[in-house]
């Protein structure tokens, strides 16, 4: 997977920089061409001479060569790289990446990188858990960066906890996984619905639900970070969706969502229906605000909304994959299997409102995936981002090669 790949290895100033030499060797052994970019502080922890010898290339660090004044282009490397790995990424480097503070070659390379960037943080446990670091890490995630989570254990400070840079073998594994997924998903078109729908009663009132859009957006970001071409049709969701390559279409009602999906589905390889679509809408929408004084008690007549999943299931193209969600309160498995069949889905992602880790507005979810072929895969409770990765892994095992 790494053979012939151009990898920029960014090294910032942390004790874990000593592991970067080994990471570099592993990447070279796997056949990658590696160019090292080191921050001024990084050089305090590992010498450029070691890294140049291992990579077979001069190490890039300064904007200008000290002796000749020759200018090193700060964008060329970003364009050259198929993947940039920043390991170790200190709190400072993560903060600069998240906020575009381009005061060294590592950051300018990051800002001009056209392909995937991966970051392996390394710092003390308190620095890692600080809201500032967590905010910056989240910003990087939203910008499409893959985070190789630090492990727990003994830290350079003598303390013990989360913050150790992941082992080089694991970072190489993450890089291989990225290229493998990209191989399968590059150029694949993924259509995702997310969030609730609002069904207007009058110009100021609606029928809606508690869906936050977190799950659908996490799936969109996960697929986009694996190189897929992602379009999200989102109901009213206040979350930002900042992955640079995700296209977002905002809608309000189920009918609008259905219209967009019917237009887009024929060109999609995979359709994932994560939206909590309102099943019913008021038969009539009042043109002006309904006045309590004039109306008294009120009866709303509701009519059925289109079932987007069933509509797309009925017109599913050969080779197209359709994935639905089932949020159930009882007889979860049976209900999910029934929906899988009825809507002609290939996979259904089941979560139960009885699980404290699952449901609307939560940051975690606990899912079981059931396929039309009868395969059942159950997962532990995880963050919605990790759940998105599980869904992507499970589905793309089954996406036929183009
Ligand atoms: O039947 P139920 O609403 O539980 O089905 C859930 C699945 O169907 C979800 O994937 C949801 O996004 C989709 N759905 C839809 N259109 C509807 C209702 C549900 O696409 N009107």
């Amino acid at each position: 997977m790494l053979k012939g790949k151009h990898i920029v290895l960014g090294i910032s100033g942390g004790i874990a920089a000593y592991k970067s030499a080994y990471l570099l060797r592993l990447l070279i052994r796997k056949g990658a061409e590696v160019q090292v970019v080191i921050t001024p502080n990084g050089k305090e922890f590992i010498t450029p001479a070691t890294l140049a010898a291992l990579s077979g290339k001069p190490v890039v660090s300064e904007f200008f060569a000290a002796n000749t004044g020759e200018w090193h282009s700060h964008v060329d490397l970003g364009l050259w790289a198929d993947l940039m790995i920043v390991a170790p990424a200190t709190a400072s480097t993560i903060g600069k990446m998240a906020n575009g503070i381009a005061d060294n070659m590592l950051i300018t390379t990051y800002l001009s990188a056209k392909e995937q960037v991966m970051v392996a943080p390394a710092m003390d446990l308190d620095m890692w858990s600080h809201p500032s670091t967590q905010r910056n890490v989240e910003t990087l995630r939203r910008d499409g960066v893959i985070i190789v989570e630090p492990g727990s254990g003994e830290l350079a400070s003598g303390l013990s906890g989360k913050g150790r840079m992941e082992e080089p073998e694991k970072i190489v594994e993450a890089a291989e996984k990225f290229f493998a997924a990209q191989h399968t998903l590059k150029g694949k078109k993924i259509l995702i619905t997310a969030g609730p729908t609002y069904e207007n009663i009058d110009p100021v009132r609606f029928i809606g639900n508690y869906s936050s859009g977190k799950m659908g957006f996490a799936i969109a970001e996960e697929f986009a970070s694996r190189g897929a071409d992602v379009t999200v049709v989102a109901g009213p969701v206040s979350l930002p969706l900042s992955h640079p390559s995700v296209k977002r279409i905002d809608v309000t009602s189920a009918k609008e969502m259905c219209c967009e999906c019917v237009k887009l589905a024929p060109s999609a390889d995979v359709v994932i229906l994560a939206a909590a679509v309102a099943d019913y809408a008021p038969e009539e929408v009042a043109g002006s605000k309904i006045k309590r004084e004039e109306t008294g008690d009120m009866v709303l007549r509701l009519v059925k909304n289109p079932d987007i999943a069933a509509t797309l299931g009925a017109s599913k193209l050969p080779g197209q994959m359709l994935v639905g969600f089932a949020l159930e309160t009882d007889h979860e498995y049976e209900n999910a299997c029934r929906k899988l069949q009825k809507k002609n889905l290939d996979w259904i992602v089941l979560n139960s409102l009885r699980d404290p880790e699952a449901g609307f507005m939560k940051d975690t979810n606990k899912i079981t995936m059931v396929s039309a072929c009868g395969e059942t895969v159950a997962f532990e409770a995880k963050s919605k981002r990790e759940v998105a990765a599980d869904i992507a892994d499970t589905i793309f095992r089954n996406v036929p090669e183009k």
Side-chain angles (χ1 to χ4, degrees), residues 195-213:
T197 63
Y198 287 179
E199 312 300 329
N200 282 350
I201 298 170
D202 70 12
V204 295
R205 303 178 180 96
F206 60 84
I207 296 173
N209 60 65
Y210 292 118
S211 169
S212 61

Side-chain angles (χ1 to χ4, degrees), residues 193 273-279 305-309 324-326 328 339 343:
T193 65
L273 299 147
V277 185
D279 288 324
N305 267 332
D307 185 327
I308 305 168
F325 272 70
E328 303 291 334
K339 280 176 195 171
K343 300 188 190 211

Side-chain angles (χ1 to χ4, degrees), residues 121-142:
M123 65 199 76
D124 220 28
L125 73 164
D126 296 320
M127 292 175 78
W128 172 250
S129 60
H130 195 280
S132 162
T133 307
Q134 289 304 312
R135 205 167 45 240
N136 288 330
V137 168
E138 197 44 42
T139 301
L140 290 186
R141 278 211 177 98
R142 291 208 168 286

Side-chain angles (χ1 to χ4, degrees), residues 153-183:
E154 202 182 305
L155 301 165
S157 60
L159 298 171
S160 184
K162 189 165 180 179
R164 274 171 69 97
M165 186 176 91
E166 189 48 282
E167 293 307 324
E169 288 84 355
K170 289 275 188 264
I171 299 173
V172 170
E173 239 173 62
E176 285 178 322
K177 191 171 163 194
F178 159 71
F179 283 117
Q182 197 189 38
H183 179 65

Side-chain angles (χ1 to χ4, degrees), residues 51-162:
L51 300 165
L54 290 174
S55 65
K57 290 182 197 298
V59 169
V60 174
S61 181
E62 315 301 333
F63 290 114
F64 293 94
N67 47 353
T68 60
E70 187 198 348
W71 182 62
H72 297 147
S73 166
H74 57 279
V75 298
D76 282 0
L77 274 182
L79 302 177
W80 173 82
D82 297 315
L83 173 70
M84 178 175 184
I85 304 175
V86 185
T90 58
S92 162
T93 286
I94 289 172
K96 286 180 185 179
M97 289 171 75
N99 295 286
I101 301 171
D103 65 352
N104 64 50
M105 281 290 271
L106 190 154
I107 307 294
T108 53
T109 303
Y110 165 64
L111 292 180
S112 41
K114 285 273 170 283
E115 298 292 339
Q116 184 64 50
V117 178
M118 190 175 275
V119 156
M123 65 199 76
D124 220 28
L125 73 164
D126 296 320
M127 292 175 78
W128 172 250
S129 60
H130 195 280
S132 162
T133 307
Q134 289 304 312
R135 205 167 45 240
N136 288 330
V137 168
E138 197 44 42
T139 301
L140 290 186
R141 278 211 177 98
R142 291 208 168 286
D143 291 344
V145 172
I146 296 173
I147 309 293
V148 183
E149 288 273 327
S152 285
E154 202 182 305
L155 301 165
S157 60
L159 298 171
S160 184
K162 189 165 180 179

